[in-house]
Amino acid sequence: MSMIAAENRRLLFRLALAAVVMFGFGFLLVPFYEKICEVAGVNNLLRPDRVANSQVDASRTITVQFDANTHDLPWRFRPLQAAVKVHPGELVTIAYEVSNTRDEPVTGQAVPSYGPQRAGKFFRKLDCFCFTQQTLQAGEKRTMPVAFVVDAELPAEITTITLSYTFFEIAGRRVVGAPGGGAAS
């Protein structure tokens, strides 16, 4: 019977080791993925874009529409302009307004999306509240700018771009009753 018990212990050890290795592999995938994206230059939602050509193409006009959403976040969030008409290569600054309706500080992160989706690679954000987490105190209202350029390489058939932001609450960042709350800008 002791030989079976020894085999069972070895099997249990191997299975436990396999589980630890799988957990470690899954845990390390996140920083590995982030590093690959950084090196490849993709999925860089938290950094300003670079503008290679600043020539304004006055022969084309693009309508940029703005949308604002929250996901399970007690904030009111809206663009101050519904849309603007821009020329490719033109630097434009617009603003969004956000207010915290909760009676405590809350931290959120905005994630942009574009419609049509392929327009996203031609939309260059130079300054954006989406680059950092935003902490709003209880009842605080804030106006947040977005500076952008639509690249002149935008395909001619795209005449309207929708820039949509969704704010998500950062889990574990709700600071109950803390004065100052470490506001981010």
Side-chain angles (χ1 to χ4, degrees):
M1 210 51 177
S2 67
M3 190 164 80
I4 292 176
E7 287 179 20
N8 284 343
R9 273 195 300 274
R10 274 195 304 263
L11 179 62
L12 179 63
F13 176 75
R14 288 179 183 163
L15 291 174
L17 181 64
V20 168
V21 167
M22 285 189 287
F23 175 79
F25 180 73
F27 185 76
L28 291 174
L29 277 178
V30 172
F32 183 66
Y33 172 78
E34 288 172 350
K35 192 53 85 176
I36 287 175
C37 289
E38 181 182 321
V39 169
V42 295
N43 201 19
N44 64 344
L45 299 176
L46 303 178
R47 285 183 288 291
D49 294 318
R50 293 188 199 132
V51 178
N53 182 1
S54 61
Q55 295 289 331
V56 176
D57 182 359
S59 68
R60 294 176 58 196
T61 301
I62 309 297
T63 302
V64 181
Q65 302 170 332
F66 305 103
D67 181 44
N69 305 287
T70 60
H71 183 266
D72 295 333
L73 190 62
W75 290 1
R76 276 194 287 279
F77 178 48
R78 68 182 185 93
L80 294 181
Q81 296 173 265
V84 294
K85 296 211 179 278
V86 303
H87 298 292
E90 176 183 7
L91 176 63
V92 179
T93 301
I94 58 98
Y96 281 77
E97 182 180 82
V98 62
S99 60
N100 181 3
T101 60
R102 197 178 277 165
D103 60 355
E104 61 191 26
V106 179
T107 300
Q109 175 74 52
V111 177
S113 60
Y114 307 93
Q117 186 175 4
R118 68 187 181 132
K121 68 182 189 176
F122 301 99
F123 199 92
R124 310 280 184 246
K125 291 184 305 304
L126 305 176
D127 184 26
C128 182
F129 55 88
C130 64
F131 296 153
T132 58
Q133 295 177 0
Q134 303 293 323
T135 299
L136 271 69
Q137 299 303 313
E140 181 182 357
K141 182 187 275 189
R142 188 181 298 168
T143 301
M144 301 179 298
V146 177
F148 66 89
V149 173
V150 175
D151 194 317
E153 299 295 318
L154 179 74
E157 66 270 9
I158 298 177
T159 58
T160 302
I161 299 173
T162 301
L163 172 60
S164 179
Y165 286 102
T166 302
F167 253 113
F168 294 88
E169 184 172 353
I170 302 298
R173 290 294 309 269
R174 188 183 316 160
V175 183
V176 179
S185 298

Coordinates of all heavy atoms in Angstrom, one line a residue, residues 18-49:
A18 N 2.4 21.7 -11.9 CA 1.8 22.1 -13.1 C 0.8 23.3 -12.9 O 0.8 24.2 -13.7 CB 1.1 20.9 -13.8
A19 N 0.0 23.2 -11.9 CA -0.9 24.3 -11.6 C -0.2 25.6 -11.2 O -0.5 26.7 -11.7 CB -1.8 23.9 -10.4
V20 N 0.9 25.5 -10.5 CA 1.7 26.7 -10.1 C 2.3 27.3 -11.4 O 2.3 28.5 -11.6 CB 2.7 26.4 -9.0 CG1 3.8 27.5 -8.9 CG2 2.1 26.1 -7.7
V21 N 2.9 26.4 -12.2 CA 3.5 26.9 -13.5 C 2.5 27.6 -14.4 O 2.7 28.6 -14.9 CB 4.2 25.8 -14.2 CG1 4.6 26.1 -15.6 CG2 5.4 25.3 -13.4
M22 N 1.3 27.0 -14.5 CA 0.2 27.6 -15.3 C -0.2 29.0 -14.8 O -0.4 29.9 -15.5 CB -1.0 26.7 -15.4 CG -0.7 25.5 -16.4 SD -2.2 24.5 -16.7 CE -2.4 23.7 -15.2
F23 N -0.4 29.1 -13.5 CA -0.7 30.3 -12.8 C 0.4 31.4 -13.1 O 0.1 32.5 -13.5 CB -0.9 30.2 -11.3 CG -1.2 31.5 -10.6 CD1 -2.5 32.0 -10.7 CD2 -0.2 32.1 -9.9 CE1 -2.7 33.2 -10.1 CE2 -0.4 33.3 -9.3 CZ -1.7 33.9 -9.4
G24 N 1.6 31.0 -12.9 CA 2.7 31.9 -13.1 C 2.8 32.4 -14.6 O 3.0 33.6 -14.9
F25 N 2.6 31.5 -15.5 CA 2.5 31.8 -16.9 C 1.4 32.8 -17.2 O 1.6 33.8 -17.9 CB 2.4 30.5 -17.8 CG 2.4 30.8 -19.3 CD1 3.5 31.1 -19.9 CD2 1.2 30.7 -20.0 CE1 3.5 31.4 -21.3 CE2 1.2 30.9 -21.3 CZ 2.3 31.3 -22.0
G26 N 0.2 32.5 -16.7 CA -0.9 33.4 -16.9 C -0.6 34.8 -16.3 O -1.0 35.8 -16.9
F27 N 0.0 34.8 -15.2 CA 0.3 36.1 -14.5 C 1.3 36.9 -15.3 O 1.2 38.1 -15.3 CB 0.8 35.8 -13.1 CG 1.0 37.0 -12.2 CD1 -0.1 37.6 -11.7 CD2 2.3 37.5 -12.0 CE1 0.1 38.8 -10.9 CE2 2.5 38.6 -11.2 CZ 1.4 39.2 -10.7
L28 N 2.3 36.2 -15.9 CA 3.3 36.9 -16.6 C 2.9 37.3 -18.0 O 3.6 38.1 -18.6 CB 4.6 36.1 -16.7 CG 5.3 35.9 -15.3 CD1 6.4 34.9 -15.5 CD2 5.8 37.2 -14.8
L29 N 1.8 36.8 -18.5 CA 1.4 37.2 -19.8 C 1.0 38.7 -20.0 O 1.3 39.3 -21.0 CB 0.1 36.4 -20.3 CG 0.4 35.0 -20.8 CD1 -0.9 34.3 -21.1 CD2 1.3 35.1 -22.0
V30 N 0.5 39.3 -18.9 CA 0.1 40.7 -19.0 C 1.3 41.6 -19.3 O 1.3 42.4 -20.2 CB -0.7 41.2 -17.8 CG1 -1.0 42.7 -17.8 CG2 -2.0 40.4 -17.7
P31 N 2.3 41.6 -18.4 CA 3.5 42.5 -18.7 C 4.2 42.1 -20.0 O 4.7 42.9 -20.7 CB 4.4 42.3 -17.5 CG 3.9 41.2 -16.8 CD 2.5 40.9 -17.1
F32 N 4.2 40.8 -20.4 CA 4.8 40.4 -21.6 C 4.0 41.0 -22.8 O 4.6 41.5 -23.7 CB 4.8 38.8 -21.7 CG 5.5 38.2 -22.9 CD1 6.8 38.4 -23.1 CD2 4.7 37.5 -23.8 CE1 7.4 37.9 -24.2 CE2 5.3 37.0 -24.9 CZ 6.7 37.1 -25.1
Y33 N 2.7 40.9 -22.8 CA 1.9 41.5 -23.8 C 2.1 43.0 -23.9 O 2.2 43.5 -25.0 CB 0.4 41.2 -23.5 CG -0.6 41.9 -24.4 CD1 -0.8 41.4 -25.7 CD2 -1.3 43.0 -24.0 CE1 -1.7 42.1 -26.6 CE2 -2.1 43.7 -24.8 CZ -2.4 43.2 -26.1 OH -3.2 43.8 -26.9
E34 N 2.2 43.7 -22.8 CA 2.4 45.1 -22.8 C 3.7 45.5 -23.4 O 3.8 46.4 -24.2 CB 2.3 45.7 -21.4 CG 0.9 45.7 -20.8 CD 0.8 46.1 -19.4 OE1 1.8 46.2 -18.7 OE2 -0.3 46.3 -18.9
K35 N 4.7 44.7 -23.1 CA 6.1 45.0 -23.7 C 6.1 44.7 -25.2 O 6.7 45.5 -25.9 CB 7.1 44.1 -23.0 CG 8.5 44.5 -23.3 CD 8.8 45.9 -23.0 CE 9.2 46.2 -21.6 NZ 9.6 47.6 -21.4
I36 N 5.4 43.7 -25.6 CA 5.4 43.4 -27.1 C 4.6 44.5 -27.8 O 5.1 45.0 -28.8 CB 4.7 42.0 -27.3 CG1 5.6 40.9 -26.9 CG2 4.3 41.9 -28.8 CD1 5.0 39.5 -27.1
C37 N 3.5 45.0 -27.2 CA 2.8 46.1 -27.8 C 3.6 47.4 -27.8 O 3.6 48.1 -28.8 CB 1.5 46.4 -27.0 SG 0.2 45.1 -27.3
E38 N 4.4 47.6 -26.8 CA 5.2 48.8 -26.7 C 6.3 48.8 -27.8 O 6.5 49.7 -28.5 CB 5.9 48.9 -25.4 CG 6.8 50.1 -25.2 CD 7.4 50.1 -23.8 OE1 6.8 49.8 -22.8 OE2 8.6 50.5 -23.7
V39 N 6.9 47.6 -28.0 CA 8.0 47.5 -29.0 C 7.4 47.5 -30.4 O 8.0 48.2 -31.3 CB 8.7 46.1 -28.8 CG1 9.7 45.8 -29.9 CG2 9.5 46.2 -27.5
A40 N 6.3 46.9 -30.6 CA 5.6 46.9 -31.9 C 4.9 48.2 -32.2 O 4.5 48.5 -33.4 CB 4.7 45.7 -32.0
G41 N 4.7 49.1 -31.2 CA 4.0 50.3 -31.5 C 2.5 50.2 -31.7 O 1.9 51.0 -32.3
V42 N 1.9 49.1 -31.2 CA 0.5 49.0 -31.3 C -0.2 49.1 -29.9 O 0.5 48.9 -28.9 CB 0.1 47.6 -31.9 CG1 0.6 47.5 -33.3 CG2 0.7 46.4 -31.1
N43 N -1.5 49.4 -29.9 CA -2.3 49.4 -28.7 C -1.7 50.4 -27.6 O -1.7 50.1 -26.5 CB -2.4 48.0 -28.1 CG -3.6 47.9 -27.2 OD1 -4.5 48.7 -27.2 ND2 -3.6 46.9 -26.3
N44 N -1.2 51.5 -28.1 CA -0.6 52.5 -27.2 C -1.6 53.5 -26.8 O -1.5 54.7 -27.2 CB 0.7 53.1 -27.8 CG 0.4 53.9 -29.0 OD1 -0.7 53.8 -29.6 ND2 1.3 54.8 -29.4
L45 N -2.6 53.1 -26.1 CA -3.7 54.0 -25.8 C -3.4 55.1 -24.7 O -4.0 56.1 -24.6 CB -4.9 53.2 -25.2 CG -5.5 52.2 -26.1 CD1 -6.6 51.4 -25.4 CD2 -6.1 52.8 -27.4
L46 N -2.3 54.9 -24.0 CA -1.9 55.8 -22.9 C -0.8 56.7 -23.2 O -0.2 57.3 -22.3 CB -1.6 54.9 -21.7 CG -2.7 54.0 -21.2 CD1 -2.2 53.2 -20.0 CD2 -4.0 54.7 -20.9
R47 N -0.4 56.8 -24.5 CA 0.6 57.7 -24.9 C 0.2 58.6 -26.1 O -0.6 58.2 -26.9 CB 1.9 56.9 -25.3 CG 2.6 56.4 -24.1 CD 3.9 55.6 -24.5 NE 3.7 54.4 -25.2 CZ 3.2 53.3 -24.6 NH1 2.8 53.3 -23.4 NH2 3.1 52.2 -25.3
P48 N 0.7 59.9 -26.1 CA 0.4 60.7 -27.2 C 0.9 60.2 -28.5 O 1.9 59.5 -28.6 CB 1.1 62.1 -26.9 CG 1.5 62.0 -25.5 CD 1.6 60.5 -25.1
D49 N 0.2 60.4 -29.6 CA 0.6 60.0 -30.9 C 1.6 61.0 -31.5 O 1.7 62.2 -31.0 CB -0.6 59.9 -31.9 CG -1.6 58.8 -31.5 OD1 -1.1 57.8 -31.1 OD2 -2.8 59.1 -31.5

